[in-house]
Amino acid sequence: MAHWDEIVADRRLTLARVERHLADLHSDAYLLDELHAVASGGSTGRRGVFVYGWQAWATAYAGFMRPALWDRAVTPELAAAPNTVALVAAHHASHMTSALGQTFANPMVQIARFPVTQPIEEIVAGLNRFQPTMLLGYPSALAILAAEARAGRLRISPKRLYATSEPLLPEVRLALEEAFGALVANGGTSEAGPMAVGCWRGPGMHLCDDLVIIEPVDARGRPVAPGALSDKVYVTGISNPTLPLIRFEITDRMRLLDAPCPCGSAHRLIADVEGRLDDAFAYSGGVLVHPHAFRSVLGREPAIVEYQVRQTSAGAEILVVGAPADPATIEREIAAQLARVGVPRPSVRLRVVAGLERQATGKVRRFVPLAADPYEARTLALADGLGKG
Ligand SMILES: [Zn+2]
């Protein structure tokens, strides 16, 4: 990111100009009448800003959509069902999946968006009304919905689930399959463009190896063999000449599989990306706050490089690396988000630090719940879905 202005191949662009465009973005919009920009939400790794030319943007959309289109084409039960898609994810258009969905709005598909920052009762009521055939969302949000379904409050029968943007842990995948009786695909992360996409015919993901070159490597950058777990991944984009990323380092760990996917795809397969699920924060009175309430504000701030949110009894303390121009406004915006979902008189403090403590994997634990035993707090909503093991 420090060398962005030298790397970008369109000389009209600078990182500052793209950041200004992103800051004003509330629905998808063109930059210079032909480009699209997205920022990584900062759930893992450092904040990244990516810009796409028109051809690359359309190719990325096709890359994300092809498994779903194929699945629908070969599954009579799906082709006969209404094409209704519910998204329980970020609402902000700087996130790639949200922005692509707006550019390529399809009149044949009915889409309902439920921002994860909405109170859970409102999301459940909205889903009960909408009755989606496909339910797409962050695993941390889908896990809460699985618990709502088990409790009998959420009454929907989706035929397909798609988990996106966060690691899908095996126990969450199982809880979703059992709660909804639907096939689950894992879409993994997406901010640097389609890298791997989920498939409902088997676990793991199809590599988009016609759009990106993926090199799983160890901590010292040496290739790791199929079957072994990498420490990180080098990604080289071969479909977006506007921002040519060559061996861009992503800290996700990845296991390339030797066997083909049961669906018959010729794309190589990777095992579900490993990692940890971001913790929801439980406050007194059973109020549950999804990590996105923080992410949606912090991810929009260009001057915040990394952050860690620590739950406090009345709100949160947020450690940030970087130099936010107006910390008080950020505190107020997050407090407003917390108040909206029912935290009484929330108190939010932002503290600038030189660095954040890293776990053994090199990643920062982004969300730290208050409870001595975080799982005890989460049982409020997640026990039915996750606690069976
Ligand atoms: Zn497949």
Side-chain angles (χ1 to χ4, degrees):
M1 284 300 119
H3 295 279
W4 203 95
D5 291 359
E6 296 154 58
I7 294 166
V8 70
D10 186 327
R11 289 291 120 195
R12 297 171 298 176
L13 297 178
T14 61
L15 182 56
R17 179 166 193 179
V18 175
E19 289 281 21
R20 277 200 303 278
H21 171 75
L22 286 172
D24 294 336
L25 211 56
H26 290 287
S27 61
D28 179 52
Y30 287 89
L31 171 61
L32 295 169
D33 288 329
E34 56 175 311
L35 306 168
H36 288 269
V38 292
S40 70
S43 64
T44 58
R46 297 163 75 96
R47 177 188 161 87
V49 171
F50 307 96
V51 63
Y52 292 80
W54 168 251
Q55 187 71 39
W57 191 244
T59 301
Y61 182 68
F64 280 121
M65 287 302 291
R66 56 190 166 183
L69 294 173
W70 174 81
D71 183 39
R72 197 172 169 83
V74 300
T75 314
E77 176 204 23
L78 268 188
N83 208 339
T84 47
V85 181
L87 302 174
V88 185
H91 193 52
H92 201 256
S94 63
H95 289 262
M96 188 161 197
T97 40
S98 160
L100 280 169
Q102 291 177 32
T103 309
F104 298 101
N106 177 350
M108 305 294 286
V109 184
Q110 242 188 297
I111 297 177
R113 292 168 206 280
F114 302 92
V116 289
T117 45
Q118 235 177 357
I120 189 72
E121 305 80 50
E122 285 177 25
I123 296 177
V124 167
L127 288 171
N128 282 338
R129 274 195 304 274
F130 184 64
Q131 292 296 320
T133 298
M134 158 100 83
L135 176 60
L136 185 149
Y138 301 150
S140 50
L142 295 177
I144 294 170
L145 293 176
E148 290 292 308
R150 283 168 179 279
R153 290 184 289 270
L154 178 61
R155 294 175 297 276
I156 57 172
S157 315
K159 298 189 185 315
R160 296 287 186 270
L161 267 67
Y162 198 91
T164 179
S165 298
E166 294 169 350
L168 177 62
L169 305 184
E171 60 268 34
V172 176
R173 182 190 272 273
L174 192 67
L176 295 176
E177 284 168 354
E178 289 185 357
F180 295 107
L183 297 181
V184 178
N186 176 17
T189 54
S190 62
E191 276 93 0
M195 222 165 54
V197 288
C199 175
W200 291 275
R201 308 301 162 108
M205 292 180 265
H206 296 178
L207 270 187
C208 298
D209 39 15
D210 52 349
L211 304 178
V212 286
I213 298 166
I214 301 278
E215 300 174 81
V217 295
D218 66 15
R220 290 160 66 183
R222 296 170 304 195
V224 301
L229 188 62
S230 75
D231 288 305
K232 52 191 182 180
V233 180
Y234 292 152
V235 180
T236 298
I238 49 177
S239 61
N240 182 18
T242 306
L243 189 65
L245 298 177
I246 298 169
R247 306 191 92 194
F248 182 69
E249 185 180 308
I250 290 180
T251 53
D252 281 330
R253 309 189 81 187
M254 181 181 282
R255 196 188 304 275
L256 205 55
L257 300 176
D258 245 345
C261 184
C263 75
S265 165
H267 293 288
R268 283 182 304 165
L269 207 61
I270 55 169
D272 288 347
V273 170
E274 299 185 17
R276 61 166 294 121
L277 194 65
D278 283 336
D279 285 297
F281 290 173
Y283 292 91
S284 58
V287 176
L288 201 73
V289 177
H290 189 275
H292 192 71
F294 302 97
R295 256 192 245 143
S296 60
V297 177
L298 296 167
R300 245 187 355 241
E301 279 299 318
I304 293 181
V305 176
E306 279 193 299
Y307 60 84
Q308 181 179 61
V309 183
R310 297 177 174 178
Q311 185 186 5
T312 60
S313 57
E317 181 188 38
I318 302 166
L319 309 186
V320 306
V321 177
D326 188 2
T329 299
I330 299 171
E331 290 172 348
R332 264 201 310 279
E333 282 182 22
I334 292 175
Q337 293 267 37
L338 297 184
R340 244 187 101 229
V341 293
V343 178
R345 294 179 302 282
S347 145
V348 176
R349 292 265 174 284
L350 192 135
R351 193 147 65 82
V352 175
V353 295
L356 296 168
E357 191 190 329
R358 288 179 186 281
Q359 297 171 287
T361 57
K363 290 196 181 188
V364 171
R365 186 167 181 197
R366 206 64 61 190
F367 296 91
V368 184
L370 176 67
D373 175 4
Y375 291 94
E376 190 188 322
R378 295 178 70 198
T379 46
L380 281 171
L382 303 185
D384 288 344
L386 296 180
K388 289 184 287 74

